[in-house]
């Protein structure tokens, strides 16, 4: 049988293609093996040279999308191993994932590994938001991949748990640690389970104060060690003993705490593990303080200080050294030796703020200073207020409490300066979490002065501190969200960005500087900081609308301003949830006062239960809980508030989820006596937009019905972790249609109720109506969201 010419031509073409594919495949194998060999040998620079040489070759360009991406992935890893995370991100994101986006040959797990590596790189660069997105995305793939090894999944859970712990996202950290522990137990991965248990213990007692669960994990870790002495060495038990000793101390089991700390100290030595050894000694010092053996406690603290000074000289432990001085100050405070307490505190402050000056009361300046660790500085300044309070208790002189309040204002300045200095895209809600407790202390100090003096100034100061927490949250979110349209010119935005980048760069250089370089770099940092401050001052004058858009919330309105703007029949109630108390500030046209209630376990339990009752129709309604919450939070204030028919609630913390309308006063529900509304900050009462360009009829409404599979989609993407079932909103279209018939304007239904249409039309709305589902994530507020059509 003979082939005609045309058929033979196609056969020859086919054979040629096969040959090309074979050459390309051989080229890939050789190149891939060479890249891997370089990685194993640590010859990463050779890979950078290699990729430059081969990218222009035809054989490289003829590789399929999968293999070309595999080579780029290895180059990305090479950059990662040389601590060039930004270059690694460029390869992982712009080359590998771009190639693999529509590449059907790529195994889903292999793609997930690239996404995971991308998240890790962003983590090391401090890009927390991006890191969260990529790490969660990769974890979702690993969890749903049937062939992904459970052991590897356990490692991913543990690693991501540690990432969330570093962000103080305790809920997700604990969730991931628990998953890791369960997997390692099933896989009989003893050492990995032991390490995950240790991670969970530290989180439980330090972050969540859950000493009972932490103790159970400690017991499990010790039992593992006892059953596997060949795998878990004695030195591995040191952190377990130290954690257990700390837990026992917090639970007032002092004899057990001493025994556990002593066990740890018998295993380690000061030279081999100075940090562990210092921690053990510090626990013993605290125990001696509890027994009022101050002389012995001081001897132990001197040893701790010597050790922390040593490993600080070796390039680590700066914050720990400052906190050792703080603990030393605590010892002297308990003894009543305030001069020595001040001396130790000053040493700690100078470690984390080297160029600050201290006034005659040993209070630091906070303008134009280099701050090496803001959290530690805030702790030390807060401790200073305790010294002033002790001086008041010793003398009865109110001036000491006034000095304490002045320090609280300085703390506020440090927090605001830190927020304004952050790059917009780098700002995080976690930045605020550890700071709000300082405002709680400030409120307590101001109210104490008010009750002692009856001077309304101090009551107003207390309210200012409360209002600032909401204002800072709003401000941080405005700084974070870059999707919102800005009214500033590109020139202004670029100059602002450049000034921030310069200041952050100078700060980074300063942190890494030697003593010889410090003076000149400090001058450069101060100049960069002053340049940004000067720009913001000028910005407020020349671009007032943009300034208010980005920074206006930092200026909380005064009580007089608020009262002038209030309608005659409206009363505002602003809550602040502190660790031990709930403060409420009551404001009407001619009244201003505060109430304080203890935030007891009973009240917390009732509020949590009542939130469930109001949010889940399957949970029975408890009038007892409703009445109890009313009596605790509302009864006193409402009995004093006169001539008010409307209540504006500004909630805080747990109260954000509380349905105040359903609170029962013994005769009826609150909704039967008052019209209620909610706001997230008193700063929102200030006008922020140029309202002259809009009319009351500028209505834009969005309505989505959703599919029955919405909850499944959200679960698969790990958007939330509760048992919520988001059912279709069958009346949302009718709701928006009725509003449109009254107000006119623009409406979007179903698939047109999209995020794109929201961005295109929301800024033009005077009335924005969203008949949509929303998710509130109280453990990680940055994940809270509004859901447009699915």
């Amino acid at each position: 049988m003979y082939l005609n010419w045309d058929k033979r031509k196609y056969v020859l073409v086919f054979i040629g293609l096969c040959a090309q594919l074979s050459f390309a495949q051989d080229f890939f194998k050789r190149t891939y093996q060479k890249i891997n060999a370089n990685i194993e040998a640590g010859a990463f620079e050779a890979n950078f040279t290699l990729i430059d040489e081969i990218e222009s070759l035809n054989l490289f360009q003829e590789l399929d999308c999968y293999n070309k991406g595999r080579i780029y992935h290895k180059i990305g890893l090479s950059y990662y191993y040389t601590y060039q995370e930004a270059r690694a991100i460029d390869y992982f994101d712009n080359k590998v994932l771009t190639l693999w986006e529509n590449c059907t040959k790529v195994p889903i797990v292999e793609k997930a590994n690239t996404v995971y590596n991308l998240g890790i790189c962003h983590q090391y660069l401090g890009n927390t938001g991006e890191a969260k997105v990529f790490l969660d995305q990769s974890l979702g793939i690993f969890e749903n991949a049937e062939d992904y090894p459970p052991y590897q999944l356990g490692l991913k859970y543990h690693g991501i748990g540690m990432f969330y712990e570093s962000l103080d996202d305790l809920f997700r950290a604990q969730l991931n640690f628990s998953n890791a522990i369960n997997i390692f137990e099933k896989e009989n991965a003893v050492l990995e389970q032991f390490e995950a248990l240790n991670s969970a213990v530290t989180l439980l007692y330090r972050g969540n104060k859950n000493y009972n669960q932490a103790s159970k994990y400690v017991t499990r870790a010790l039992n593992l060690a006892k059953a596997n002495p060949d795998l878990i060495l004695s030195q591995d038990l040191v952190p377990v003993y130290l954690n257990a000793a700390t837990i026992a101390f917090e639970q007032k089991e002092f004899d057990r705490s001493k025994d556990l700390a002593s066990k740890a100290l018998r295993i380690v030595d000061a030279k081999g593990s100075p940090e562990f050894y210092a921690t053990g000694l510090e626990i013993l010092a605290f125990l001696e303080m509890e027994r009022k053996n101050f002389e012995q406690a001081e001897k132990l603290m001197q040893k701790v200080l010597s050790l922390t000074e040593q490993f600080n000289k070796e390039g680590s432990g700066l914050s720990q050294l400052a906190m050792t001085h703080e603990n030393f100050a605590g010892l002297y405070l308990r003894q009543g030796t305030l001069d020595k307490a001040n001396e130790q505190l000053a040493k700690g402050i100078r470690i984390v703020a080297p160029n600050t000056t201290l006034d005659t009361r040993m209070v630091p300046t906070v303008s134009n200073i280099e701050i090496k660790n803001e959290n530690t500085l805030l702790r030390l300044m807060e401790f200073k207020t305790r010294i002033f309070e002790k001086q008041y208790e010793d003398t009865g002189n109110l001036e000491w409490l006034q000095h304490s309040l002045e320090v609280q204002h300085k703390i506020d300045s440090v927090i605001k300066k830190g927020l304004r200095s952050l790059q917009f895209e780098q700002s995080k809600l976690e930045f605020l979490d550890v700071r709000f407790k300082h405002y709680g202390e400030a409120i307590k100090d101001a109210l104490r002065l008010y009750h002692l003096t009856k001077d309304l100034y101090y009551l107003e100061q207390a309210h200012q501190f409360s209002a600032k927490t909401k204002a800072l949250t709003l401000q941080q979110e405005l700084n974070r969200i870059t999707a919102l349209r800005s009214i500033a010119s590109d020139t202004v935005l670029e100059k602002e960005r450049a000034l921030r980048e310069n200041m952050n760069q100078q700060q980074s250089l300063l942190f890494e500087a030697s003593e010889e370089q410090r003076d000149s770099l400090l001058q450069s940092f101060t100049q960069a900081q002053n340049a940004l401050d000067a720009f913001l001052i000028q910005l407020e004058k020349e671009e007032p609308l943009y300034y208010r858009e980005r920074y206006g919330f930092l200026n909380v309105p005064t009580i007089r301003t608020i009262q002038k703007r209030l309608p005659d029949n409206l009363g505002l109630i602003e809550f602040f949830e502190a660790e031990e108390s709930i403060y409420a500030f009551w404001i009407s046209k001619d009244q201003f006062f505060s109430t304080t209630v203890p935030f007891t376990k009973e009240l917390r339990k009732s509020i949590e239960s009542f939130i469930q009752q109001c949010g889940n129709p399957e949970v029975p309604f408890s009038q007892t809980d409703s009445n109890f919450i009313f009596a605790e939070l509302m009864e006193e204030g409402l009995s004093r508030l006169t001539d008010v028919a409307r209540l504006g609630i500004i909630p805080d913390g747990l109260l954000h989820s509380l349905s105040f309308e359903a609170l029962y006063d013994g005769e009826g529900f609150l909704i039967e006596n008052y019209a209620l509304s909610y706001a997230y900050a008193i700063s929102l009462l200030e006008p922020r937009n140029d309202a002259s360009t809009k009319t009351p009829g500028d209505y834009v409404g969005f309505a989505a019905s959703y599919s029955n599979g919405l909850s499944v989609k959200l679960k698969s993407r790990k958007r939330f972790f509760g048992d919520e079932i988001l059912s279709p909103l069958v009346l949302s279209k009718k709701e928006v249609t009725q509003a449109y018939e009254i107000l006119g304007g623009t409406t979007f239904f179903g698939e047109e109720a999209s995020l794109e249409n929201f961005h295109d039309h929301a800024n033009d709305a005077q009335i924005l109506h969203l008949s949509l589902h929303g998710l509130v994530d109280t453990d990680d507020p940055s994940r809270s969201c509004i859901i447009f059509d699915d």
Side-chain angles (χ1 to χ4, degrees):
M1 184 176 187
Y2 294 93
L3 294 171
N4 64 34
W5 178 250
D6 288 336
K7 287 184 178 179
R8 280 182 290 165
K9 179 179 70 173
Y10 288 119
V11 169
L12 289 172
V13 169
F14 177 73
I15 292 171
L17 285 172
C18 288
Q20 278 186 307
L21 290 173
S22 177
F23 289 144
Q25 189 64 26
D26 288 343
F27 170 78
F28 167 75
K29 287 181 179 179
R30 291 196 310 272
T31 304
Y32 200 65
Q33 288 171 355
K34 190 171 184 179
I35 290 173
N36 280 326
N38 287 337
I39 290 175
E40 290 176 11
F44 304 111
E45 294 291 338
N47 282 341
F48 306 150
T49 303
L50 180 62
I51 193 65
D52 288 339
E53 292 173 353
I54 67 172
E55 269 191 307
S56 60
L57 297 179
N58 289 334
L59 281 172
F60 180 80
Q61 298 303 326
E62 289 166 4
L63 292 178
D64 61 27
C65 53
Y66 175 41
N67 286 334
K68 191 183 290 185
R70 291 172 72 188
I71 288 176
Y72 279 139
H73 178 90
K74 291 295 183 178
I75 301 301
L77 281 178
S78 299
Y79 277 113
Y80 169 75
Y81 290 139
T82 55
Y83 305 102
Q84 299 183 65
E85 287 87 359
R87 295 296 305 274
I89 287 172
D90 183 51
Y91 272 87
F92 290 142
D93 199 357
N94 299 328
K95 293 184 182 292
V96 182
L97 293 181
T98 300
L99 275 169
W100 286 356
E101 185 175 3
N102 299 307
C103 188
T104 57
K105 294 182 178 182
V106 184
I108 188 65
V109 168
E110 197 162 343
K111 186 175 182 179
N113 275 319
T114 299
V115 174
Y116 181 81
N117 291 338
L118 189 54
I120 295 297
C121 288
H122 278 295
Q123 176 189 353
Y124 282 119
L125 287 177
N127 303 331
T128 306
E130 292 87 344
K132 280 184 180 182
V133 171
F134 292 120
L135 290 175
D136 283 352
Q137 183 182 342
S138 66
L139 185 59
I141 298 171
F142 293 135
E143 287 174 322
N144 292 295
E146 295 180 2
D147 58 342
Y148 194 65
Y151 173 79
Q152 292 296 329
L153 181 59
L155 293 177
K156 291 295 191 297
Y157 277 132
H158 193 189
I160 292 175
M162 294 177 74
F163 164 69
Y164 278 115
E165 183 183 15
S166 71
L167 303 180
D168 289 324
D169 187 343
L170 306 183
F171 171 74
R172 276 177 180 75
Q174 186 57 45
L175 181 75
N176 281 284
F177 288 152
S178 298
N179 288 337
I181 291 167
N182 293 336
I183 286 177
F184 291 142
E185 185 176 24
K186 291 177 183 177
E187 294 293 302
N188 197 30
V190 174
L191 191 57
E192 291 80 359
Q193 185 187 354
F194 179 80
E195 291 173 351
L197 283 166
N198 274 341
S199 297
V201 167
T202 305
L203 182 76
L204 283 165
Y205 83 79
R206 286 185 181 169
N208 296 334
K209 309 296 182 186
N210 188 341
Y211 301 116
N212 292 330
Q213 184 61 41
S215 295
K216 291 178 182 178
Y217 277 0
V218 164
T219 301
R220 286 178 64 178
L222 292 174
N223 288 340
L224 267 180
K226 187 176 181 181
N228 300 274
D230 54 330
L231 292 175
I232 301 173
L233 305 178
S234 60
Q235 54 263 37
D236 295 329
L237 289 171
V238 171
V240 182
Y241 286 140
L242 292 175
N243 282 336
T246 306
I247 294 166
F249 178 84
E250 294 292 344
Q251 294 179 317
K252 310 296 182 185
E253 299 175 7
F254 298 132
D255 289 338
R256 173 172 163 76
S257 179
K258 183 176 181 179
D259 178 59
L260 289 163
S262 299
K263 281 184 177 179
L265 290 172
R266 285 195 291 271
I267 297 172
V268 298
D269 62 78
K271 291 183 178 179
S273 304
E275 294 188 43
F276 283 149
Y277 202 84
T279 301
L281 290 177
E282 207 158 30
I283 293 170
L284 295 181
F286 284 128
L287 288 165
E288 296 299 339
M289 284 187 224
E290 286 296 323
R291 297 187 173 102
K292 297 187 178 180
N293 298 329
F294 296 123
E295 185 176 345
Q296 181 61 24
E298 187 170 356
K299 289 178 181 178
L300 289 167
M301 285 302 300
Q302 287 288 1
K303 293 180 181 178
V304 173
L305 183 59
S306 177
L307 286 168
T308 51
E309 284 176 338
Q310 181 59 41
F311 56 76
N312 180 59
K313 287 178 183 176
E314 295 168 1
S316 63
L318 179 144
S319 293
Q320 190 165 349
L321 178 58
M323 290 171 69
T324 300
H325 284 295
E326 179 189 350
N327 290 333
F328 231 136
L331 166 64
Y332 290 130
L333 180 63
R334 293 185 67 164
Q335 286 182 277
T337 316
L338 299 187
D339 287 344
K340 288 187 176 180
N342 272 320
E343 181 183 338
Q344 290 294 330
L345 197 63
K347 290 179 178 178
I349 289 171
R350 288 192 176 104
I351 288 170
V352 293
N355 68 316
T356 188
T357 57
L358 301 174
D359 63 18
T360 55
R361 298 163 299 156
M362 307 296 280
V363 175
T365 60
V366 295
S367 60
N368 295 328
I369 63 169
E370 169 202 357
I371 301 175
K372 283 180 169 288
N373 187 303
E374 187 174 298
N375 287 350
T376 305
L377 177 62
L378 293 177
R379 279 175 54 93
L380 294 168
M381 292 177 71
E382 193 68 60
F383 191 94
K384 182 63 186 177
T385 68
R386 291 170 54 193
I387 294 177
F388 281 140
E389 288 168 4
K390 182 69 170 70
Q391 289 175 296
Y392 163 72
E393 292 166 7
D394 290 345
T395 64
N397 187 342
L398 278 176
E399 284 188 8
W400 295 117
L401 289 184
Q402 292 166 341
H403 293 330
S404 176
L405 192 62
E406 289 169 14
V407 175
Q408 297 289 7
H409 281 290
K410 291 199 171 201
I411 290 173
D412 174 53
S413 295
V414 172
I415 292 172
K416 286 200 297 186
K417 195 172 191 66
L419 180 64
R420 283 169 40 143
S421 298
L422 283 175
Q423 289 280 17
F424 291 159
E425 64 272 15
Q426 293 174 340
S427 302
K428 314 174 188 70
L429 280 171
E430 291 81 9
F431 173 83
L432 301 173
D433 290 344
V434 297
R435 289 151 176 79
F436 283 176
K437 63 182 179 182
H438 299 293
Y439 285 105
E441 291 297 319
I443 292 168
K444 184 172 71 173
D445 287 353
L447 287 178
R448 186 180 187 183
L449 275 166
Y450 170 66
H451 293 309
L452 287 169
T453 65
K454 303 304 178 186
D455 187 338
L456 197 62
Y457 167 80
Y458 295 115
L459 180 59
E460 292 177 351
Q461 291 295 295
H463 173 260
Q464 281 274 312
F465 285 124
S466 172
K468 281 174 182 176
T469 61
K470 286 82 170 175
L472 285 171
T473 303
L474 284 170
Q475 186 61 60
Q476 187 275 340
E477 280 299 279
L478 279 181
N479 289 2
R480 185 180 70 87
I481 298 170
T482 57
L484 295 179
R485 191 189 316 167
S486 175
I487 59 176
S489 67
D490 291 341
T491 304
V492 168
L493 296 175
E494 178 58 30
K495 184 174 181 181
E496 184 176 19
R497 185 194 62 76
L499 286 169
R500 289 182 182 283
E501 283 188 354
N502 183 42
M503 195 197 72
N504 289 336
Q505 183 181 17
Q506 294 300 327
Q507 189 175 44
S508 298
L509 291 172
L510 187 59
F511 286 174
E512 299 168 1
S514 64
E515 289 299 324
E516 295 77 20
Q517 300 171 311
R518 182 169 300 281
D519 288 342
S520 62
L521 287 174
L522 178 58
Q523 186 177 4
S524 299
F525 168 71
T526 304
Q527 288 173 351
Q529 195 175 47
N530 290 341
L532 176 60
D533 289 342
F535 170 79
L536 294 178
I537 291 170
Q538 194 68 20
L539 189 69
E540 185 174 12
K541 295 176 182 176
E542 297 180 358
E543 300 274 359
L545 291 178
Y546 173 66
Y547 185 86
R548 287 202 300 270
E549 177 187 278
R550 285 302 191 193
Y551 303 104
F553 287 117
L554 294 178
N555 302 316
V556 176
T558 65
I559 292 297
R560 293 180 187 83
T561 301
I562 294 166
Q563 288 179 320
K564 283 180 181 178
R565 300 192 69 247
L566 282 182
D568 291 338
N569 65 347
L570 175 64
L572 286 178
I573 313 164
E574 177 166 327
F575 290 95
F576 184 94
E577 179 187 302
E579 192 169 341
E580 297 178 351
S581 303
I582 294 179
Y583 303 104
F585 298 90
W586 303 73
I587 310 169
S588 68
K589 196 73 174 176
D590 52 10
Q591 288 180 281
F592 172 48
F593 58 90
S594 71
T595 57
T596 304
V597 298
F599 197 13
T600 61
K601 290 182 180 178
E602 183 184 10
L603 179 56
R604 179 182 289 276
K605 185 177 179 182
S606 284
I607 292 173
E608 289 173 346
S609 176
F610 192 63
I611 289 169
Q612 279 195 324
Q613 295 163 28
C614 293
N616 188 341
E618 296 180 2
V619 178
F621 180 82
S622 169
Q623 197 160 288
T624 302
D625 281 332
S626 177
N627 189 219
F628 174 66
I629 296 167
F630 174 86
E632 291 291 299
L633 297 182
M634 305 295 290
E635 189 167 33
E636 180 187 350
L638 288 178
S639 68
R640 295 170 61 181
L641 203 61
T642 58
D643 300 323
V644 165
R646 298 160 55 199
L647 296 178
I649 308 291
I650 301 174
D652 190 45
L654 189 60
L655 302 184
H656 275 294
S657 302
L658 181 66
S659 299
F660 283 83
E661 296 89 344
L663 296 182
Y664 187 72
D665 66 3
E667 297 179 358
F669 295 100
L670 208 59
I671 190 65
E672 297 177 283
N673 297 316
Y674 300 95
L676 277 80
S677 60
Y678 295 85
Y680 298 108
I682 213 154
S683 303
L684 289 170
L685 294 173
E686 288 293 288
R688 304 214 165 270
N689 295 311
D690 185 3
S692 63
T693 62
K694 298 178 181 177
T695 64
D698 289 334
Y699 167 86
V700 180
F702 292 81
S705 57
Y706 305 103
S707 69
N708 288 319
L710 176 60
S711 293
V712 175
K713 290 180 182 179
L714 291 168
K715 293 280 187 185
S716 68
R717 296 178 189 178
K718 303 189 77 62
R719 285 304 311 181
F720 62 103
F721 296 89
D723 297 322
E724 300 94 332
I725 300 298
L726 299 183
S727 57
L729 297 177
V730 294
L731 297 177
S732 63
K733 183 175 181 179
K734 182 178 180 181
E735 177 185 313
V736 170
T737 300
Q738 288 179 339
Y740 169 75
E741 290 172 353
I742 298 169
L743 300 166
T746 308
T747 58
F748 298 96
F749 300 115
E751 292 182 1
E752 290 193 353
S754 64
L755 186 60
E756 290 75 17
N757 277 329
F758 174 80
H759 284 309
D760 289 342
H761 296 86
N763 280 342
D764 298 325
Q766 181 75 354
I767 301 171
L768 188 60
H769 181 184
L770 305 179
S771 184
L772 306 169
H773 273 309
L775 292 175
V776 176
D777 192 328
T778 56
D779 299 293
D780 183 356
S782 65
R783 293 175 187 270
S784 296
C785 59
I786 294 167
I787 304 171
F788 290 83
D789 187 84
D790 66 326

